[in-house]
Amino acid sequence: MKKITSVLLLSVMSVFASNLVVEDAYVRATPPNLPNSAAFMILKNSSNENISVIKATSDVSKAVELHTHDMQDGVMKMYQIPKIDIPAKGETALKPGSLHIMFIGLNKPLKVGEKITFTLELSNGETKTITAPIKSVMSGMKHHGHNMNHNN
């Protein structure tokens, strides 16, 4: 009987265990007049199936979007994308100058040392709520200079 109970308990626990692990999440601090920020992290998928982040939500800004950067005609451009893929048994890094979660129309400046909470909605039906520290992020952003265009 103990063996059956243990197997059932492990089965129930695995149903509630998330296939997505979020590591090293942080959000870029903003000066008082900057209306947007971004979140960065490493997303690790332990399942045998590909998973995608299909939406992000938070109450810190008017909108939250999935974004990336690409070089187009010699200009680095940032734009919204429909999803961020995390391969089966793999990982995807969200980092400055690459994939990221964009907070548009911040309700207030994001200050170093504070934390914000946001939720990721996944293609497998899971949601993942993350509380991330706000950090000063300059490296990775400098090389874009004044050529950064934000296209929605």
Side-chain angles (χ1 to χ4, degrees):
M1 186 67 160
K2 279 186 177 181
K3 188 173 183 179
I4 293 172
T5 304
S6 295
V7 169
L8 285 174
L9 184 58
L10 286 174
S11 296
V12 169
M13 287 173 53
S14 68
V15 168
F16 294 108
S18 177
N19 292 315
L20 185 73
V21 174
V22 177
E23 294 181 352
D24 303 325
Y26 65 95
V27 177
R28 186 180 63 219
T30 59
N33 295 323
L34 188 65
N36 305 324
S37 186
F40 310 102
M41 66 206 78
I42 298 171
L43 302 171
K44 293 187 174 184
N45 177 0
S46 63
S47 77
N48 293 320
E49 303 290 329
N50 295 335
I51 297 175
S52 298
V53 176
I54 57 172
K55 185 177 181 182
T57 57
S58 180
D59 61 3
V60 301
S61 62
K62 292 177 181 72
V64 183
E65 298 177 351
L66 310 177
H67 275 226
T68 194
H69 291 82
D70 277 328
M71 188 66 75
Q72 297 175 3
D73 300 320
V75 177
M76 184 65 76
K77 293 190 177 187
M78 177 174 47
Y79 56 92
Q80 184 176 7
I81 55 176
K83 63 182 178 153
I84 296 173
D85 296 321
I86 309 101
K89 301 290 184 192
E91 67 181 49
T92 298
L94 281 61
K95 57 189 177 184
S98 183
L99 296 167
H100 58 281
I101 308 294
M102 192 78 192
F103 301 98
I104 300 170
L106 293 169
N107 298 324
K108 65 176 187 170
L110 302 182
K111 297 179 183 174
V112 172
E114 294 178 351
K115 293 182 180 185
I116 68 162
T117 299
F118 56 97
T119 300
L120 304 179
E121 294 182 26
L122 310 177
S123 58
N124 64 0
E126 289 182 40
T127 58
K128 192 79 167 173
T129 299
I130 300 155
T131 299
I134 298 170
K135 296 183 178 183
S136 177
V137 180
M138 293 314 294
S139 64
M141 301 303 283
K142 289 180 183 176
H143 69 279
H144 299 307
H146 296 289
N147 291 336
M148 180 68 72
N149 290 337
H150 182 129
N151 295 333
N152 282 335

